[in-house]
Amino acid sequence: MRAGSRILSIVGAALALSLFTGTASAAETVHIVAAENFYGDLAQQIGGKHVSVTSILSNPDDDPHLFETSASTARALAGAEIVIYNGADYDPWMGKLLSASTAQDRVTIVAADLVGAKKGDNPHLWYNPKTLPAIASTLAAELEKRDPANASEYKANLATFDAAFGEILEKIAAVKAKYAGTPVTATEPVFGYMAEAMGFVMLNYDFQIATMNDTEPSPKQVADFEDSLKNGKVKILFYNSQVTDQTTTRLLGLAKASNVKVIGVTETEPKGKTIETWFSGQIAEVEKTLMGQK
């Protein structure tokens, strides 16, 4: 992330705004800020008409690793009563901005804390099947506490989400039952947790970590990646279209030339999608691909 250089320039704005906004515990609408838009989608599903949600990272065409904070980010956080972010060093700018705000009675929900992830782990936690249900239940409990008059709605919304996500978990289990052990690869470990849940064997992980950390993969890592595509060992290449460089673009071309199926994954929920339709579509694409290779 390259946001640190701009943090200090907006600290003053965050502090000043917090003096005027304060908390909104008595307001009709609970103001929630999510660092990433899939967490924002989840917040809207749980809170319904009783919340207003702002998602900071929401453009699927942008590289989230290049995100830079702004005064508008500080303004949004200054008025937030509940903040949801990923953690595990994926969005470190969020913690810095929050420490600059004096808002009282604000609650932060950090995905990494809920699933026991830490710095150095794969930070793409939303693809961990445990993450979104954990956030949903934590958020529902917080909303019930803040707004007990509408507690029954939050409980009902949580039940609806859990049921829908339960169907996704069933689809993941079905893929695992049929295709566990399938070798796959990726340009970055975005889909890693989901691939693991499906029982796949992920190759070229060191290459993926290097790409994620914006470091140069070693010649051996690149050669091993190329070989796994050329010899047909891997059945799917999960390609992160938001984080690309000359090497990953070349590997994409090699995969296509080698008839390796490419499935695009993103670090932002695509426009027009919900968590449920986004995940279900990807799972269906995986299953269709593997079914066609039998």
Side-chain angles (χ1 to χ4, degrees), residues 1 12-13 24 29 40 53 69 106 113 135 141-142 149-150 161 172 175 195-196 205 222 253 256:
M1 299 289 180
T29 301
V53 180
T69 56
R106 180 178 61 208
D113 294 344
I135 293 176
E142 178 59 28
N150 294 303
F161 173 79
I172 293 171
V175 171
E196 180 181 0
Y205 188 71
V222 175
K256 293 179 178 179

Side-chain angles (χ1 to χ4, degrees), residues 127-260:
Y127 276 121
N128 182 338
K130 298 179 180 179
T131 300
L132 293 172
I135 293 176
S137 61
T138 301
L139 176 59
E142 178 59 28
L143 289 171
E144 290 171 30
K145 177 182 175 182
R146 288 176 175 268
D147 183 19
N150 294 303
S152 61
E153 289 189 48
Y154 302 132
K155 290 181 184 294
N157 291 344
L158 175 61
T160 297
F161 173 79
D162 283 344
F165 202 79
E167 294 180 3
I168 292 174
L169 296 178
E170 290 176 0
K171 294 175 181 177
I172 293 171
V175 171
K176 183 176 182 179
K178 293 181 181 179
Y179 304 108
T182 298
V184 300
T185 193
T187 54
E188 195 181 354
V190 176
F191 202 68
Y193 288 110
M194 188 71 79
E196 180 181 0
M198 292 176 175
F200 297 158
V201 176
M202 181 63 71
L203 304 184
N204 308 308
Y205 188 71
D206 290 343
F207 176 98
Q208 297 171 45
I209 295 300
T211 301
M212 180 183 72
N213 293 330
D214 198 26
T215 59
E216 192 73 23
S218 71
K220 184 179 186 307
Q221 290 169 351
V222 175
D224 288 346
F225 204 126
E226 292 176 347
D227 288 343
S228 69
L229 297 174
K230 292 176 182 177
N231 63 24
K233 187 174 183 179
V234 298
K235 303 304 180 183
I236 298 175
L237 168 64
F238 294 104
Y239 186 77
N240 183 3
S241 59
Q242 286 178 271
V243 180
T244 62
D245 58 23
Q246 188 176 19
T247 300
T248 59
T249 302
R250 182 169 53 79
L251 290 171
L252 173 63
L254 180 59
K256 293 179 178 179
S258 303
N259 295 316
V260 174

Side-chain angles (χ1 to χ4, degrees), residues 32-49 51-58 84-85 126 132-133 135-136 139 143 157-158 160-161 164-165 168 268-280:
I32 302 175
V33 171
E36 295 83 18
N37 69 342
F38 36 83
Y39 295 141
D41 176 11
L42 179 59
Q44 193 65 64
Q45 291 191 44
I46 301 302
K49 63 185 179 182
V51 300
S52 65
V53 180
T54 300
S55 296
I56 296 173
L57 295 178
S58 59
I84 306 172
Y85 66 102
W126 55 96
L132 293 172
I135 293 176
L139 176 59
L143 289 171
N157 291 344
L158 175 61
T160 297
F161 173 79
F165 202 79
I168 292 174
T268 310
E269 183 178 292
K271 294 178 180 178
K273 298 285 188 179
T274 64
I275 291 167
E276 294 86 347
T277 59
W278 182 28
F279 280 16
S280 293

